[in-house]
Structure formats: C-alpha cells, structure tokens
Amino acid sequence: MNDKLVFLGLLYFVQGIPYGLQSSLLPVYLRGAGHSLTRIGFTKILYFPWVLKVLWAPLVDRIGTKRRWLVGTVSGLALTCLSSAALAPEAHIWGVAGTLLAMNTLASVQDIAVDGAAVGLLKGRGELGLGNTAQVVGYKAGSVFAGGGLLAVIDVAGWSWMFMLLTFVYAGVALFVWGAPVLDDETVKGQQADGSRRGGQGADAMRPWRVWRKLLAVPGTPWTVLYVLTYKLGEQGAVTMFPLFLLDHHMTARELGFWNGVIAMGFSICGSSLGGLLLAQFSIGALMRRVFVLRTVSMVFQSSLLTVLEPSPLMKGMAVLSMSVQHFLGGLITTLTFTTMMHCTQRAEESIQATHYSFLATLEVLGKLTFSALAGGVVDWFGFQVAFLFFLTLSAGTALHVWTATFTGALREHQLKEQPK
C-alpha cells in the first residue's frame, strides 16, 4: 500500500507544479514587471486544456498503457521546462505563455492517466480514502513548491535556474514511473481490457445528444451544475487579486511567496484534509451551511483590509491571517464539493457514471477559470474596493444557494443518505 501511495502522491505532486507556477508565481512576477491586472487575469485562459480533457479522455483510456502515457507526458513536461529555461520572461511574454499552455496540456493528459491508474490500484474503502488524501495533498504540495518555494528564491536563483530545477524534477519522476513495479499489477492492465470491451457500446457515442439527456436527467444534476459553476466565483476573485493588492502596497514578492504561496497553501491542505474527517462525523448539508457562511464572513474581513494603504506590521499580520483563513476554508469547501459531485454521480446509471463525473469536474474547472480570467479586468476598471464588494456579493449569493438546497433541494440530508449501495 505504501508503494501505491508514494507512486500516486509523487505523480500528483508534479501535476500540481504548473498550477502553482501560474496561480501564485506568474501573477506576482508579471505584476512586478509592470503588467496590468487585466493582462495578468487573462493568463488564466492558459488553463483551458483542463476544460477540454473530457474530449481526449477516451483516447488515453483505449490506446496504449498507463505507464506509456505517464512517462510520455512527464517527459514532455521535462522538455518543456528545459526549453523555457532559455526564455527571458520580460522580453518573451508570449514564449512564457506558450510554455504554460504546453505544461497545462501535458498535465491534463497526465491527470487522466494517473486517475485511471489509481482506479486499478486502489482496493477497498480504506485504500480509496488514503489514495484520495495522497491526491489532494500531493497536488497542493506541488503547487506550494512551485508557487511559494520557487517564488521565494526566484530573485536570487533567476528564471533559468528555476526551470532547470523543474527539468530535473520531471526527468527524475519520468524515470521513476518507467521502472515503477506498481504498474505491473494485473488490475491496471485489466482496466484497459475492460475499456476495449466497452468499445462495443458505441450507439450512444454516435448520438451524443442521448448522452447529454441522460446526464441532465440524473436527480440533482441541474442544481449541481449551477453549484459547481458558481461556488468559487467570489472566492477566486479574492484569492487571485488580494495578493496583488499586497504586492502593490505592503509586501515584497519574496514575502508574498512565503506567506501566500507556502503558509496559506499549507492551511489549504489542512482544510482539505479536515474535510474528509468531518464528513465521517457530520452530514454534508450541515457542514456546507456553516462553512459557506464562515467563508462569507472571512471575505468581509478581508475586504475591510483594502482600506489600509500604509504599510505596517499589524497590517501584514492581518493580511496573513486573512489569506490563511481564506485558503483553509477554500480547501475545506473543495473537499465538500467533490463529495457532493460524487453523491450526485452515484444516482446515475452505472454505464454513464464516469462520463457524468467528468462532466461535472469539467464544469467545476470552467467556472473557476472563467471568473479568474475576468477578475483582473474588474479590478482595473472599478478598483479593489468596488471589485471586492462584487466578490463578496457573489460569495453571499452562493451561501444562500447552498443554505436553501440543504432544506428544500439537492442537499437534503435524507436524499444523500438514500444513495444506492
């Protein structure tokens, strides 16, 4: 079991590196170089391959082996980082954008392959729980490493040396995967054989509208679709823009890399881990009601800090506290959200459950990315204070949406308890 956890944790770790680079390191680096918040916000479009991964998932599932897909994608990430080491981001902004687009594309394909491997490797409820913990913690640890640790030393080491380090990391993981004995397990090979047998179920594939009708007919799906598209809107705006406000007025890039990229992300990992423990003790509806209200209160506190423009130790302390609380609640909400998505998917026919979950996961990414891309423009047009009032309104609206659903809609406790076994 330990071999499986190390294998999965390492792959999810390197999968989180592109997210950390783009969400934490790149915005601070570009802001320090004088780029507008609108341009920085539009870099979120580079995440778009994650929205499209549902289209090439069947290709990964039916052609080749999981080992070959994993070695190929991780090796491709190593080569991409090697080529990026020759770039100067101030002079080659489009080259940097191309690098991140390529990294997101390769990481999204890697995600499909490692998820497929995990399905074959993990047995029983105990292993599934530990495996999902390895996924969340590994991914966020990779994000912390890239977005916090590297940001803290980039002024000293420089762009080229940073990407050379990432090249060696990816190359080492590719060699590890190539020789990993856990992929020799027959259950992983069996997944591919099953995929070949399912190739005969092509009638619906030739009539995709039938599949969409089936997906939307699953009980709770319309509510869940609206929820996953909107639940992170206000939070994403605040999490993306508040560090840039601090960079403009209160912190250096190195300080921000440590406090936001390492400490706050550490709180996010704690929140995600706590979510799994709380779900074993309390109903998901009761948890979501309380956590969403707490998130709204934390955004009120964070918004109030925007009125302070003069640097001071007290302001720095309040800012770190605000970011830590926001990331902790965000990690907790993410765990609750993916559990809600799984509950909804369990109501679907077994033959479409995988497609149903991929559909919800794609919409979840789409909702976050769309607003993240627009948040910088909102701040540039209206200023931080008005923009954060808008973010707060969105967060309060989502809290109301969840609160209502726990009593009259898709999150009623008795509905979730009556899932098919």
Side-chain angles (χ1 to χ4, degrees):
M1 180 58 191
N2 289 336
D3 290 344
K4 297 177 185 178
L5 293 180
V6 171
F7 174 78
L8 294 174
L10 190 58
L11 281 170
Y12 284 118
F13 174 86
V14 295
Q15 187 179 308
I17 288 176
Y19 178 80
L21 287 175
Q22 192 164 333
S23 66
S24 299
L25 186 146
L26 186 65
V28 174
Y29 199 86
L30 293 179
R31 188 61 171 172
H35 292 278
S36 70
L37 295 175
T38 302
R39 174 173 288 188
I40 294 171
F42 278 130
T43 62
K44 301 293 184 181
I45 296 174
L46 300 176
Y47 286 126
F48 199 64
W50 288 92
V51 177
L52 300 178
K53 73 173 189 175
V54 70
L55 300 179
W56 50 68
L59 184 69
V60 177
D61 200 32
R62 297 182 181 184
I63 298 177
T65 64
K66 295 294 186 294
R67 189 191 301 273
R68 289 178 180 175
W69 279 106
L70 290 170
V71 171
T73 51
V74 176
S75 299
L77 285 163
L79 293 174
T80 302
C81 289
L82 182 62
S83 63
S84 184
L87 298 176
E90 300 87 351
H92 302 99
I93 185 65
W94 292 109
V96 173
T99 294
L100 289 171
L101 182 63
M103 291 183 75
N104 279 313
T105 301
L106 290 165
S108 68
V109 177
Q110 179 203 337
D111 180 57
I112 299 167
V114 71
D115 285 347
V119 169
L121 289 171
L122 301 175
K123 300 282 195 308
R125 183 176 178 180
E127 287 195 2
L128 283 173
L130 292 173
N132 283 315
T133 300
Q135 174 187 7
V136 174
V137 174
Y139 186 87
K140 291 192 174 182
S143 176
V144 170
F145 168 72
L150 294 183
L151 178 59
V153 301
I154 192 172
D155 289 339
V156 177
W159 181 273
S160 296
W161 283 106
M162 182 185 74
F163 272 90
M164 285 301 299
L165 172 62
L166 292 179
T167 299
F168 286 114
V169 170
Y170 279 120
V173 172
L175 290 174
F176 171 79
V177 174
W178 181 257
V182 296
L183 285 181
D184 296 333
D185 194 308
E186 291 182 359
T187 57
V188 177
K189 298 176 183 177
Q191 292 291 320
Q192 294 154 20
D194 289 342
S196 298
R197 287 193 293 269
R198 287 195 298 267
Q201 300 173 351
D204 279 344
M206 299 301 293
R207 298 178 177 85
W209 60 89
R210 290 188 178 180
V211 177
W212 292 113
R213 277 189 354 204
K214 284 185 177 181
L215 295 180
L216 295 174
V218 175
T221 297
W223 182 90
T224 308
V225 165
L226 178 61
Y227 169 75
V228 298
L229 284 170
T230 59
Y231 84 107
K232 281 279 189 179
L233 293 187
E235 179 189 319
Q236 279 295 110
V239 168
T240 303
M241 291 294 114
F242 189 70
L244 300 183
F245 167 79
L246 295 178
L247 183 67
D248 287 349
H249 298 284
H250 298 283
M251 291 187 182
T252 65
R254 183 175 297 182
E255 289 175 322
L256 202 56
F258 176 72
W259 290 115
N260 185 54
V262 178
I263 299 301
M265 282 301 297
F267 275 92
S268 178
I269 292 172
C270 291
S272 296
S273 302
L274 180 62
L277 298 176
L278 291 176
L279 283 168
Q281 303 294 326
F282 304 99
S283 69
I284 191 169
L287 285 173
M288 291 182 75
R289 281 199 305 270
R290 290 161 174 77
V291 174
F292 272 82
V293 170
L294 287 175
R295 186 183 71 173
T296 304
V297 172
S298 75
M299 288 192 64
V300 172
F301 172 63
Q302 189 172 83
S303 299
S304 70
L305 299 179
L306 299 173
T307 61
V308 182
L309 300 180
E310 291 298 322
S312 70
L314 178 61
M315 173 59 191
K316 282 188 180 180
M318 293 296 100
V320 170
L321 174 62
S322 173
M323 290 188 296
S324 299
V325 171
Q326 194 79 290
H327 277 78
F328 176 82
L329 293 174
L332 181 52
I333 286 173
T334 298
T335 298
L336 298 179
T337 295
F338 278 89
T339 303
T340 300
M341 291 161 55
M342 186 63 69
H343 275 306
C344 183
T345 294
Q346 286 174 345
R347 301 172 191 164
E349 299 175 14
E350 186 175 353
S351 61
I352 63 168
Q353 283 185 350
T355 302
H356 186 273
Y357 190 79
S358 295
F359 168 63
L360 293 178
T362 298
L363 292 180
E364 193 266 346
V365 173
L366 180 62
K368 291 189 296 188
L369 295 189
T370 301
F371 192 77
S372 295
L374 299 176
V378 173
V379 173
D380 274 340
W381 274 94
F382 300 104
F384 278 102
Q385 294 183 14
V386 174
F388 268 68
L389 180 61
F390 176 54
F391 301 156
L392 176 59
T393 302
L394 290 173
S395 181
T398 305
L400 180 61
H401 181 53
V402 169
W403 190 279
T404 303
T406 58
F407 291 107
T408 62
L411 288 178
R412 282 180 295 178
E413 282 81 0
H414 76 273
Q415 286 186 324
L416 295 182
K417 289 177 182 178
E418 293 175 0
Q419 298 304 314
K421 303 298 182 185

